[in-house]
Structure formats: C-alpha cells, structure tokens
Amino acid sequence: WAYETSGIVEQGTVILGGVEHKIGFGLQQQYYHKATILVIEHDEAHFTKGIILNRPSDEFITDDLNDGVKWRVSFGGDVQNFDSDEPDIVCLHSLKSPEATKSSVEIVKNIKWTSFDVAKTLVNVGLAKPSDFSVFAGYVGWGPGELTSEIHDNAWYMVATDSNTLLKELARQNTAADPREAGLETWEYIMKMIGREVTARTSVGTFDDYMLKEWARKYLSQRTMNDTAKSVNSADSRKKCVPGTLLRGSSVRRSPFLLSNQEFHKSLVLILSDDEDATIGVMLNHPAAKGLQMEVKDTRMNINYVLTAPLRVGGDYVLEESESPIWLHNSPKLRGAQVGTPIGGCWEHIWQCTYEEVAVALTDNLAKLDEFLVISGITLWPKGDIDAEENFGEMLEDGSFEIVPPSCVESVWNSLLKQRVLTERNIQQNIDYGIEAWSAGEGDSLENDDDNFDIHSIGMGYEEEEDSFVFNTDVKVAKLSDDALRVWVSSCLLGIADLGDDLNE
C-alpha cells in the first residue's frame, strides 16, 4: 500500500520528484528528476537526510574483509557519493537477528539502515549475505525549512508506504534493473499506487526524462561506449589558441555540453586574453532579450537618432558597471580606418573597440550599427585551480572546443550579424542563425561523421546504434542536445521555463 500525505515529513517518508512545477531538472541535477527518496533522518529545525532509491548503477565497491566479495552500489545522492574521497555509504536491510538489529537504525517497520563496515562484518560472521543489503553511496540533504519550501512549490509528492513495497522495488533493482533506465519504473509504480497514474502516464517521454537517461548513461552505466570526444584539434592546439582565436563547440554527435553548460553547445567563443592566471573569452552567438540603445548624430541632417543593437551574453562573469560592453567588428573598411584594436595584435583578427570609437565611426558613416557585435559579460577559465570543474586547456585538447580556421571567420561573422534582440517569437530563428554561424566555422573538422568516434563496447549487451539515441527510445542524442540548447536560451535568456510540447515533435 501507499498513499499521498499532506506535506508531512518524518523519518520513513518517501519523497517522489514532482513533475508539475515550472522549473524542472533537465539542464542540471538531472538525478533529482522523478527521484524516489527515502528520508532516513529528519529534524525540521536542523537537517533532513535522504537517499535516492531508484538510481541503480553498474558500480561495485570492494570488500577488504571478505575475500572476493564485491558489493553493487547505487547512487544515493549528490553529497559524498562515488566521486568523494570519503563516500557516505548507507546499507538498507530487513535482517532480524539481534546482532543486526542492535547495530542498525530502524527507518520504518522491517527496514533498517547500517554502515558498510557493519554490513561487511555481518557477512563475515555468517549472519548475512551481500544480497541481503541494498547499498547506496551518497545522500541528499535539506537545511531548516528548505524541504518545506520546495513542497509548497510542488517540487515533491510526499508519500507513506509499507516496507514490502520498498523492499520489492529494491530487490528488483538489485537484480534486474538496467541503470540506463534511470529507475523511472520505480517512480511510475509508486505514482500509480498513490492515485497519480494520469500524471505519471502523461509525463512519460519528456525532455527531462531523456536528460535523466543521458545522465544515468554517463554516470551510472558501464555498458556504454567511451564518451570521450575524438579531438579534431592538433596536439599543439593550446599554443595555437592565442588571443584573437575563434573557437566553436565540439562537432561530435554526443555533445560534451549536453548535461551541463548547455550554452557552449554549438557555440562560438572568441578568446580575448590568455595568461598564467586565466583564459578569458566571450560567447558570440547568444543575443539577450534586450538591446543596447545608442544615440547617433546625423551631421548632414543635423539631427540625433537612436539605434538599437542586440546585446549578446558573453559569459557568466558580469563586467563591472563602470565598464562599457565589449564592441567587436570584423570590417576591412574599419580596419583600414584603424577603428579599434586588433585582438591579440594580429591585423586580420577580429577587432575590439570602445563605445566612443563606434559612435565616431557611425557619425562619419564609416559603418552601420549592425556591423558590430556588442557583448556583455565574459567567460573565464581559471588556471592552477585544482578544484575548478573546467580546465580550458583540457577542454581544447579533448575536442570540447575546435579552432575555427581563419578562412572561415568572415562567413561565421556574417551569419552572426543576422541575429536580433531575442524575443519569444524569434527564439528558434536566432538559434538557427547561431547554428548556421557555427556550421560555417567547420573547416576541416568532421561534423557528425561516424569516423569521428572510437566505437567499442564496455560490458555486455551494447549495440553500436545505441550511441546515436537516448537509451531505449527513438530520440536522437544530437536532437536532444539542440533541444537542451533551446531550453537554456528560453529559461536563462528569456526567463520562460515552459516551452511546451514542441521539443518532442
């Protein structure tokens, strides 16, 4: 049995990931989407701790006490999980011996949790078998009031259920579940039990479902091919990536920016500076939902008029208020008039100029406003930071970014100039122009070419075709990557969380 409670949280409560809130987990923290979480500790005034029950994996941990024994471990949450130096490992069981009961904490009737050390010891003395335990690495946690606030935002469904229901699902996952299915069956099963069958059925095959499966494929399964992109860059690409170099996001069909940093998928990035501390660049292909107005004087008519240029998002690091946006041009005429300064000192590179220089060029009829790109914000990759999630040099070497040949820059630039101030009506057109610009920078790279991948299997049951599609669906990963980019543009640049069903068409 199982039934939905009225927001009551206590030890033993099951929390189901909601699908009726506006902001989902498609772009980040995909493991929370349709999660089934068991609360194992709860103190409203201090902390609530839970473990995700429906993220089985192909990971095993070794046993230093029992020779030859390996324990299959599931992903329990994003805190102290597989990747931690000191993973928090929780073992669920229903053992009834006095020894097991004494060294465990009862969560609900017939379900207890204990440490991995205790589980190993019970096996060692013959009081249990490894199959008696469901092992989880990591947990999820909420501070005071956080979970209650999320419940009010319809982020979760609160459920009470009997131990047999949970034990049945845990047993199935330990023996028959494929990690690439991401535990969706468990969530759907309990949703039906609490009377939300219609909600469960109508939410199947969504963008967030596919993103969760891709997350599970990457982090939980060992039965998939090597995801490392084959670099189209030369071995000395770091040396060639000097200020003024134009880069584009990887052309491999499984985008390295699918699960995070979706703004870099099919992006164009101009390197502004590179020193021992950091590499600084700006994205060129993301117009924001506002423009930059500029007052220009027509000397012939002796009147002032206002022009508007799309203001583009260059990165997450916001420029100081005292600094004006970055103005760029790629005009031979403006180079000849020495309007601005060539980035990196190379005459043929893209040029950077000031607001005042642009105003003079417009007044003197040397150029039109739509010949310039106006950038707000920068992208910064620190160097020497071992805790940094992204290392620009490594991203360049592994093919996450590709160098755009100088001969392609003009075509790229011309396509970028077609973009306009972002609106709900032109979002897809703007994205299409951005992808057109990205494609123009291809050069000699092998976009979406099957020879650009090292196909090999890890484990059993792998079929070569699976790499092109989200597991057990007819959805191409390449399309999902493009959809993720559109969701990012919509939510982060337009502030629209719900794009409707058109992503699945």
Side-chain angles (χ1 to χ4, degrees):
W1 55 262
Y3 61 87
E4 191 169 356
T5 64
S6 56
I8 298 175
V9 183
E10 58 187 1
Q11 183 174 289
T13 295
V14 172
I15 304 174
L16 299 180
V19 293
E20 297 170 304
H21 52 110
K22 291 184 178 180
I23 301 176
F25 293 105
L27 296 184
Q28 58 184 351
Q29 296 181 307
Q30 290 86 2
Y31 44 84
Y32 278 124
H33 176 62
K34 294 185 177 179
T36 301
I37 301 172
L38 177 64
V39 176
I40 63 173
E41 295 178 17
H42 176 66
D43 183 340
E44 181 65 30
H46 295 92
F47 184 67
T48 300
K49 180 178 181 179
I51 51 175
I52 301 176
L53 300 180
N54 60 331
R55 301 290 181 255
S57 82
D58 286 333
E59 295 284 344
F60 287 85
I61 50 179
T62 56
D63 188 331
D64 57 358
L65 189 60
N66 301 288
D67 291 339
V69 174
K70 292 184 177 181
W71 301 68
R72 187 176 183 179
V73 58
S74 296
F75 175 87
D78 53 359
V79 183
Q80 291 183 256
N81 56 32
F82 302 133
D83 300 327
S84 173
D85 293 334
E86 298 181 0
D88 185 278
I89 301 177
V90 170
C91 302
L92 299 184
H93 66 87
S94 57
L95 297 170
K96 294 180 172 58
S97 70
E99 293 84 355
T101 301
K102 183 178 179 180
S103 55
S104 304
V105 177
E106 186 172 70
I107 304 170
V108 293
K109 184 179 179 180
N110 294 329
I111 297 182
K112 311 175 185 68
W113 75 267
T114 191
S115 68
F116 185 46
D117 285 340
V118 169
K120 291 187 295 183
T121 299
L122 290 173
V123 170
N124 185 256
V125 298
L127 294 175
K129 306 182 297 296
S131 58
D132 291 326
F133 299 91
S134 294
V135 184
F136 300 86
Y139 63 91
V140 296
W142 293 269
E146 288 181 345
L147 181 55
T148 300
S149 176
E150 292 177 10
I151 293 171
H152 290 161
D153 290 338
N154 296 319
W156 308 103
Y157 308 122
M158 312 307 292
V159 176
T161 185
D162 68 305
S163 57
N164 287 337
T165 296
L166 295 180
L167 291 171
K168 175 183 175 182
E169 282 302 298
L170 291 174
R172 185 187 64 80
Q173 289 187 160
N174 287 340
T175 56
D178 189 319
R180 294 170 293 179
E181 291 287 5
L184 289 171
E185 185 176 338
T186 296
W187 180 88
E188 292 167 3
Y189 174 68
I190 299 178
M191 285 286 285
K192 293 176 183 178
M193 291 186 70
I194 65 174
R196 287 187 175 268
E197 182 175 1
V198 174
T199 300
R201 185 173 64 250
T202 55
S203 68
V204 172
T206 63
F207 170 74
D208 286 4
D209 276 6
Y210 302 142
M211 293 294 282
L212 171 62
K213 281 194 168 188
E214 280 298 296
W215 176 86
R217 178 194 186 280
K218 180 174 181 179
Y219 293 105
L220 302 183
S221 177
Q222 295 181 1
R223 287 175 283 186
T224 53
M225 65 168 287
N226 183 7
D227 280 343
T228 303
K230 182 178 178 181
S231 178
V232 298
N233 298 326
S234 61
D236 61 346
S237 55
R238 286 200 198 193
K239 296 179 181 178
K240 291 184 178 181
C241 188
V242 297
T245 302
L246 184 61
L247 305 175
R248 70 178 204 147
S250 173
S251 59
V252 298
R253 62 189 169 193
R254 186 173 292 281
S255 172
F257 304 113
L258 172 59
L259 298 176
S260 62
N261 299 315
Q262 290 85 3
E263 65 270 26
F264 291 127
H265 173 63
K266 294 187 177 178
S267 65
L268 290 154
V269 177
L270 177 65
I271 302 301
L272 298 181
S273 66
D274 184 60
D275 56 31
E276 61 182 10
D277 296 319
T279 299
I280 295 177
V282 287
M283 294 183 293
L284 302 182
N285 59 312
H286 291 312
K290 63 180 180 178
L292 181 69
Q293 292 188 332
M294 186 173 194
E295 185 174 348
V296 179
K297 184 173 183 179
D298 187 329
T299 56
R300 293 175 298 180
M301 302 293 293
N302 196 29
I303 59 173
N304 293 340
Y305 56 95
V306 176
L307 299 175
T308 302
L311 187 62
R312 298 165 186 266
V313 176
D316 289 337
Y317 288 83
V318 179
L319 297 172
E320 297 291 338
E321 290 185 6
S322 59
E323 298 182 48
S324 64
I326 297 169
W327 292 79
L328 304 171
H329 75 74
N330 190 46
S331 166
K333 183 178 180 180
L334 292 175
R335 289 193 193 106
Q338 297 190 27
V339 177
T341 306
I343 298 173
C346 180
W347 188 273
E348 299 301 323
H349 280 175
I350 294 170
W351 284 45
Q352 181 175 346
C353 43
T354 65
Y355 177 92
E356 291 74 20
E357 288 172 325
V358 173
V360 171
L362 296 178
T363 301
D364 293 345
N365 294 314
L366 291 175
K368 296 180 179 179
L369 185 59
D370 59 11
E371 294 181 53
F372 296 90
L373 297 187
V374 192
I375 315 293
S376 176
I378 59 173
T379 299
L380 184 146
W381 290 278
K383 295 181 180 179
D385 184 357
I386 60 175
D387 295 325
E389 293 183 5
E390 302 158 354
N391 181 295
F392 178 74
E394 292 178 357
M395 294 172 74
L396 191 62
E397 289 183 354
D398 69 15
S400 294
F401 287 105
E402 301 164 3
I403 295 176
V404 174
S407 60
C408 298
V409 172
E410 183 176 359
S411 295
V412 169
W413 190 269
N414 290 337
S415 293
L416 290 173
L417 293 179
K418 297 177 183 179
Q419 294 178 308
R420 295 293 178 259
V421 175
L422 185 65
T423 67
E424 192 171 350
R425 294 183 64 180
N426 72 8
I427 177 174
Q428 191 57 55
Q429 184 180 59
N430 259 6
I431 292 173
D432 289 344
Y433 283 142
I435 293 177
E436 177 184 290
W438 173 84
S439 298
E442 180 178 354
D444 296 329
S445 64
L446 301 176
E447 178 190 351
N448 295 328
D449 190 287
D450 288 343
D451 293 334
N452 206 27
F453 301 89
D454 295 324
I455 305 294
H456 65 274
S457 170
I458 301 177
M460 300 296 293
Y462 174 76
E463 294 182 0
E464 195 170 299
E465 294 81 4
E466 291 180 0
D467 183 58
S468 298
F469 296 88
V470 178
F471 179 69
N472 208 18
T473 75
D474 60 357
V475 176
K476 288 189 176 182
V477 176
K479 181 183 183 302
L480 182 64
S481 299
D482 288 348
D483 288 347
L485 172 60
R486 177 173 170 174
V487 173
W488 180 87
V489 171
S490 177
S491 59
C492 296
L493 301 187
L494 271 181
I496 301 174
D498 186 5
L499 284 172
D501 297 330
D502 56 328
L503 288 178
N504 296 325
E505 294 178 357

